[in-house]
Amino acid sequence: LFAAVIKTATTVTHYSIPEEMEIGSVVANLAADLGLDVMSLNKRSMRLDVIANKKYLDVNKDTGELFIAEKVDRELLCNIKTSSCFLKMDVTIENPKRIFNIELEIVDINDNPPHFRRDTIHLDISESTSVGERFSLNNAVDPDFGSNSIKTYYLSESEHFSIEIQTGRDGSKFTDLILKKALDREEHAVHNLILTAVDGGVPARSGTASIIVRVLDTNDNAPQFDKDSYTINLMENSPIGSLVIKLNATDKDEGSNSEILYSFSLYTSEKTQSTFGLNPENGEIRVKEMINYEDFKIYNMEIIATDKGSNSLSGHCKITVVITDMNDNHPEISIKSFTSPVKEDIDVGTVIAVVSVSDKDSGENGQINVHISDKLPFKLKESSDYYYELVVSEPLDREKVPEYEITFTVTDRGTPPLSDNETMTLELLDVNDNVPQFPQLFYTIQVKENNAPGELLSSLTAHDPDLHENQYLVYFIIEKEIVNTSMSMLFSINPENGNLYALKTFDYEIEKEFLFHIEARDSGVPPLSSNVTVHVIIMDQNDNTPLIVSPWRAHGSVVEEKIPRSTDKGTLIAKVIAIDTDSVHNSRITYQFLQNTDATLFSLDQYNGEIRTMRMFSYRDSRHQRLVVIAKDNGEPSLSATVTIKLSTVETALKTYADMTEIPEYDIFSDLNLYLVIGLGSVSFLLLITILVTIVLKCQKPKPSKAGPPCRNSVISERNSTIADSTLVSNDAYWYSLFLAETRKGKLVVRQPVPKGSRYFVSSIPRSTGLTETSDSAASTLQVSI
């Protein structure tokens, strides 16, 4: 922060430091500069004697260092602007006694911003001041010295003012405000300027002052009227004191220069001045005496507006008062005939009423205009002099406007016009011209299966804007048979309010949706009707327990299997397949072990039901393993089924013997041939199913049932089932999964249609004549409805 500069003289030692130096900062090492031995300072007493400045500096008696004891402010020490500022002191050393003179120069830094003695400078300048006029401004002050003091001034942007900077003999800067464009108080009454003083320090510091220039007014604007001339129509016999016109003249100046007096000019006749009075303060012209149209029809006058300035200015306007004849007779109207009520479907052009009009005045005051109230579907037709017919001009609609208030108004052409009116009420009778309307064209109603018979499904209410019997609605279900069952056997609608009820309990697995129409018919003559489409969707509930179809159990829920003891890790031991006739998430099945003899030996895939070995068998493992698998659906609450698999391990020789006795036909189930067999089998099966279903539908007689047969327009998913990975797949996919599971055990899976009863038999036949056991050798048959 400082650079100590030692200037050695014969008798005085000079040092230089910047002001505001930190307390504790070392200025110089006096012992070294004065040629003293530091080691002897302990034996010799050293003291600092600073006249009037001792508080700023001190000496370390151990090291002989001169340091700052308190911050030094050059502006406080040297209050007069000089080029140099010194602190003088003496250093005294005892034994032997020696005195040294020291001079410390304080170097100025830019630690003070410029500031104005007043933050705001007010100037009053007349708008008549000449361009180039100068106005002295208070200069700013900066206690810093030299380049750190004020360097220049800046003025905020202004089109009317600029500044000129002057330099005094002592080097100080001051400025004058110069008017560079003429002022106009009416355009801009106050000018706000900012004067900024900037010093020459690095970085520079600045201070600002606000200059408020108030422009003083001069009488340089003449009064002006709103208009140069006025034409006024005034009725004869206007009451004395009636206001003819209130003149308004304005003056852009202020104070007395804008105060105005009104007066008649010399060009205004005495007759006019005696007929009309003028208020000199507010410019009101009023009637002073009775006006007669037969005496004077037109009055001309000139009015002068004069301001109260020292050099007064004035403006003038001309007024023409036109006297008009008085219209003192009202026109009359009389209704001669009127028909009400009428039907809303009355023909356009039909005459509703006949009226007559009259007025006792003559000329313009006796001429009459006749009209009816706006926005009505009627018009007036003149039939003869002073007679008019009211006819229908547009089709009428009672539902939009049930009745009309028709007002006949007659107005003469006098000034001001006089008028009279007569009102009649036309009532419309309803006809059946509106079809019942439902709020929606299509209704979708969701019903949970297993609903209670008689349950309210929805309220289908239509609206008819007609009246009375034309408005009374009756609701019907449009009959439609579904598999020899009419809709009225499934649903019922209240004919009075449109409430729709279910007449039976629905089963999602049999009936998934119904589509029919409901008609709303009014009681008019002839009746009008409309219908709406209703889509009833049966919502699935979790009411079907999963059915385990693989591995097949001939009796009970226990399956016995034999596996070689040398089975490798990851070998598929069995595949549990369950199906659920529910839909969507209710049919998604997951598999878990309820019981596992050795949890480290077998694993179960929770999604596809595959049971695989987690490691090879060891001699410590039991030969008999018991696995209990539970298949749970995803419904709320969840339903489940279980299967028990008893595994018995056999020695490798038995498996080898089984492999030796396997018939060659097993080789057809290589990967490629397997896919071909599956493809051909699937196509053949679909064709066979199509033929069988067609024959059954043609030949089978309908059987009576409480629940009713499934509807034809229901979404029937009897061939759909959910297996393994909880994905909705076709019936053939299920057969394929079962086929893979059974063929891994060396069996053929055969599906056979059977007449009347279950849909198919599933036969599992052993394909090997080697190892035979009761559970494997005998053909197992499962009767499943798919």
Side-chain angles (χ1 to χ4, degrees):
L1 295 175
F2 76 95
V5 180
I6 305 175
K7 299 180 181 179
T8 305
T10 54
T11 57
V12 180
T13 302
H14 294 271
Y15 296 99
S16 177
I17 65 168
E19 64 173 327
E20 300 294 335
M21 194 172 180
E22 294 293 332
I23 297 174
S25 299
V26 177
V27 175
N29 192 319
L30 294 180
D33 295 341
L34 299 178
L36 301 174
D37 184 6
V38 179
M39 299 299 294
S40 63
L41 289 179
N42 294 331
K43 300 178 180 180
R44 305 178 66 184
S45 175
M46 174 185 289
R47 74 175 186 274
L48 179 65
D49 185 13
V50 182
I51 300 174
N53 293 302
K54 187 175 181 181
K55 63 178 180 178
Y56 295 109
L57 298 173
D58 205 347
V59 175
N60 188 324
K61 297 181 180 181
D62 296 328
T63 62
E65 291 178 335
L66 182 65
F67 63 91
I68 301 297
E70 186 177 335
K71 281 191 177 182
V72 179
D73 189 345
R74 185 181 186 278
E75 287 71 36
L76 291 178
L77 292 175
C78 305
N79 52 8
I80 300 176
K81 285 200 173 185
T82 59
S83 59
S84 60
C85 180
F86 294 95
L87 284 178
K88 296 182 178 180
M89 62 201 78
D90 295 333
V91 176
T92 303
I93 299 177
E94 303 294 339
N95 301 322
K97 185 174 184 178
R98 294 179 63 186
I99 297 176
F100 299 92
N101 296 325
I102 295 176
E103 203 173 62
L104 183 64
E105 180 180 6
I106 308 303
V107 179
D108 182 54
I109 63 173
N110 191 24
D111 58 342
N112 293 283
H115 67 277
F116 290 86
R117 291 184 175 87
R118 288 188 298 172
D119 294 336
T120 304
I121 302 173
H122 294 274
L123 293 177
D124 290 339
I125 302 176
S126 174
E127 62 178 328
S128 61
T129 303
S130 302
V131 173
E133 190 74 20
R134 306 169 71 91
F135 303 92
S136 297
L137 299 175
N138 294 333
N139 63 315
V141 295
D142 191 330
D144 292 325
F145 177 76
S147 61
N148 293 331
S149 63
I150 295 175
K151 180 181 180 181
T152 187
Y153 292 88
Y154 297 100
L155 183 67
S156 59
E157 184 177 354
S158 172
E159 61 176 333
H160 291 88
F161 297 97
S162 62
I163 59 173
E164 185 177 288
I165 301 172
Q166 304 288 340
T167 304
R169 292 182 180 181
D170 59 351
S172 61
K173 304 285 185 179
F174 59 92
T175 182
D176 291 337
L177 186 68
I178 301 175
L179 181 65
K180 66 178 182 179
K181 182 180 177 181
L183 300 173
D184 186 350
R185 189 204 63 81
E186 289 72 35
E187 178 182 337
H188 207 161
V190 178
H191 296 264
N192 292 296
L193 308 174
I194 300 297
L195 181 63
T196 304
V198 181
D199 62 23
V202 180
R205 308 185 74 170
S206 63
T208 61
S210 176
I211 302 175
I212 300 177
V213 178
R214 187 165 64 93
V215 182
L216 302 179
D217 182 56
T218 58
N219 193 21
D220 57 347
N221 291 280
Q224 289 186 345
F225 286 93
D226 295 341
K227 295 168 61 176
D228 293 335
S229 62
Y230 299 87
T231 299
I232 301 168
N233 294 318
L234 185 64
M235 185 65 63
E236 66 171 325
N237 299 326
S238 294
I240 295 175
S242 299
L243 178 65
V244 179
I245 187 174
K246 186 179 187 307
L247 298 174
N248 181 49
T250 57
D251 194 319
K252 295 181 180 178
D253 295 322
E254 66 177 357
S256 61
N257 295 332
S258 64
E259 297 177 3
I260 297 174
L261 293 176
Y262 299 90
S263 62
F264 287 113
S265 73
L266 297 177
Y267 297 101
T268 304
S269 66
E270 293 182 0
K271 173 62 177 174
T272 300
Q273 294 187 38
S274 64
T275 305
F276 300 98
L278 172 64
N279 189 320
E281 298 295 333
N282 58 22
E284 290 182 348
I285 298 178
R286 296 184 178 270
V287 177
K288 288 176 64 178
E289 59 184 33
M290 293 300 296
I291 299 174
N292 191 344
Y293 173 79
E294 288 69 29
D295 292 340
F296 281 91
K297 297 180 177 59
I298 298 176
Y299 291 89
N300 292 307
M301 61 187 79
E302 185 179 62
I303 308 299
I304 298 175
T306 306
D307 62 31
K308 296 181 182 180
S310 56
N311 298 317
S312 62
L313 300 176
S314 62
H316 66 277
C317 74
K318 293 182 179 181
I319 299 176
T320 301
V321 179
V322 178
I323 307 301
T324 58
D325 188 26
M326 186 175 181
N327 183 25
D328 53 357
N329 288 287
H330 289 265
E332 296 179 353
I333 183 170
S334 175
I335 298 176
K336 299 301 181 181
S337 67
F338 173 57
T339 303
S340 179
V342 297
K343 289 187 176 181
E344 61 175 321
D345 60 350
I346 188 172
D347 294 334
V348 173
T350 302
V351 177
I352 301 297
V354 177
V355 297
S356 65
V357 296
S358 63
D359 193 320
K360 296 179 181 180
D361 290 328
S362 61
E364 290 289 326
N365 295 332
Q367 296 183 4
I368 300 174
N369 294 324
V370 184
H371 63 275
I372 58 176
S373 49
D374 293 338
K375 300 180 180 179
L376 292 157
F378 307 96
K379 66 179 180 180
L380 281 174
K381 180 180 178 182
E382 188 174 3
S383 60
S384 61
D385 292 342
Y386 304 110
Y387 281 88
Y388 294 85
E389 294 178 344
L390 180 68
V391 297
V392 179
S393 61
E394 298 177 11
L396 304 180
D397 189 348
R398 187 207 63 80
E399 286 69 38
K400 292 183 179 178
V401 182
E403 65 179 20
Y404 293 90
E405 292 288 334
I406 304 174
T407 301
F408 296 91
T409 302
V410 289
T411 306
D412 62 25
R413 299 180 184 177
T415 304
L418 300 178
S419 63
D420 192 12
N421 61 71
E422 187 76 24
T423 300
M424 66 179 189
T425 301
L426 178 64
E427 182 183 355
L428 300 183
L429 296 177
D430 181 57
V431 296
N432 192 26
D433 58 348
N434 289 279
V435 176
Q437 295 290 331
F438 286 92
Q440 302 172 218
L441 297 177
F442 191 93
Y443 285 86
T444 300
I445 303 173
Q446 295 183 343
V447 181
K448 290 185 177 181
E449 66 171 331
N450 304 318
N451 60 294
E455 179 182 350
L456 175 65
L457 303 183
S458 180
S459 181
L460 310 177
T461 305
H463 172 70
D464 193 323
D466 293 324
L467 289 179
H468 309 307
E469 68 274 0
N470 298 331
Q471 186 185 39
Y472 298 146
L473 301 182
V474 180
Y475 299 89
F476 305 91
I477 295 178
I478 299 178
E479 287 298 334
K480 178 181 180 182
E481 286 194 358
I482 303 174
V483 193
N484 299 326
T485 301
S486 65
M487 278 297 168
S488 59
M489 297 178 63
L490 303 176
F491 302 97
S492 172
I493 190 167
N494 188 317
E496 296 182 357
N497 57 24
N499 287 345
L500 183 66
Y501 299 90
L503 297 181
K504 60 164 288 186
T505 300
F506 296 108
D507 187 348
Y508 174 83
E509 286 69 40
I510 299 176
E511 303 149 321
K512 291 182 172 54
E513 63 176 9
F514 300 93
L515 195 67
F516 55 93
H517 301 283
I518 289 179
E519 178 181 312
R521 184 185 306 162
D522 63 28
S523 304
V525 179
L528 300 177
S529 64
S530 64
N531 60 68
V532 67
T533 302
V534 178
H535 185 198
V536 177
I537 299 176
I538 308 303
M539 305 298 293
D540 182 51
Q541 287 186 313
N542 192 28
D543 57 347
N544 289 281
T545 303
L547 175 63
I548 296 177
V549 297
S550 176
W552 172 240
R553 293 93 69 203
H555 302 284
S557 60
V558 179
V559 177
E560 295 184 357
E561 299 283 353
K562 293 185 181 297
I563 58 174
R565 196 166 183 84
S566 60
T567 299
D568 293 334
K569 174 184 177 181
T571 300
L572 178 65
I573 301 303
K575 182 178 180 67
V576 180
I577 300 177
I579 60 174
D580 192 319
T581 55
D582 290 321
S583 67
V584 196
H585 64 277
N586 289 333
S587 63
R588 294 174 184 167
I589 297 176
T590 57
Y591 303 89
Q592 295 178 355
F593 277 131
L594 279 183
Q595 182 177 343
N596 187 351
T597 304
D598 190 342
T600 66
L601 188 55
F602 301 101
S603 65
L604 171 62
D605 191 301
Q606 64 173 335
Y607 299 110
N608 61 23
E610 291 183 351
I611 301 175
R612 295 181 180 270
T613 56
M614 297 174 62
R615 58 179 175 80
M616 293 186 66
F617 287 93
S618 68
Y619 68 93
R620 296 181 179 178
D621 294 325
S622 173
R623 289 185 177 273
H624 302 283
Q625 300 287 334
R626 178 184 174 90
L627 305 177
V628 180
V629 177
I630 182 172
K632 297 194 300 184
D633 61 25
N634 198 38
E636 286 293 337
S638 177
L639 301 178
S640 62
T642 61
V643 61
T644 301
I645 302 174
K646 292 183 177 181
L647 297 177
S648 300
T649 59
V650 296
E651 297 301 327
T652 306
L654 294 176
K655 184 178 185 305
T656 304
Y657 174 74
D659 293 340
M660 291 173 62
T661 57
E662 190 71 44
I663 62 176
E665 185 181 306
Y666 186 78
D667 294 335
I668 65 172
F669 294 101
S670 62
D671 291 342
L672 178 59
N673 291 336
L674 179 60
Y675 296 144
L676 293 176
V677 171
I678 292 171
L680 291 174
S682 299
V683 173
S684 302
F685 175 72
L686 289 175
L687 179 59
L688 178 61
I689 287 298
T690 303
I691 296 172
L692 290 175
V693 170
T694 303
I695 294 173
V696 170
L697 292 178
K698 292 292 185 180
C699 299
Q700 187 176 13
K701 295 181 180 180
K703 296 181 180 180
S705 173
K706 293 182 179 180
C711 63
R712 289 179 181 175
N713 62 339
S714 299
V715 179
I716 301 176
S717 62
E718 290 183 335
R719 296 181 65 250
N720 293 340
S721 60
T722 304
I723 64 169
D725 57 356
S726 300
T727 304
L728 193 64
V729 298
S730 71
N731 177 46
D732 296 311
Y734 160 68
W735 289 118
Y736 172 58
S737 299
L738 188 61
F739 174 79
L740 292 180
E742 295 298 305
T743 51
R744 286 191 180 96
K745 298 187 294 182
K747 299 177 182 180
L748 287 177
V749 178
V750 180
R751 291 183 294 172
Q752 301 176 9
V754 295
K756 295 183 181 179
S758 299
R759 304 294 176 86
Y760 294 99
F761 276 109
V762 181
S763 298
S764 179
I765 304 173
R767 301 190 65 244
S768 174
T769 58
L771 181 63
T772 59
E773 295 291 339
T774 303
S775 60
D776 290 333
S777 61
S780 57
T781 303
L782 169 65
Q783 182 174 307
V784 185
S785 175
I786 302 296

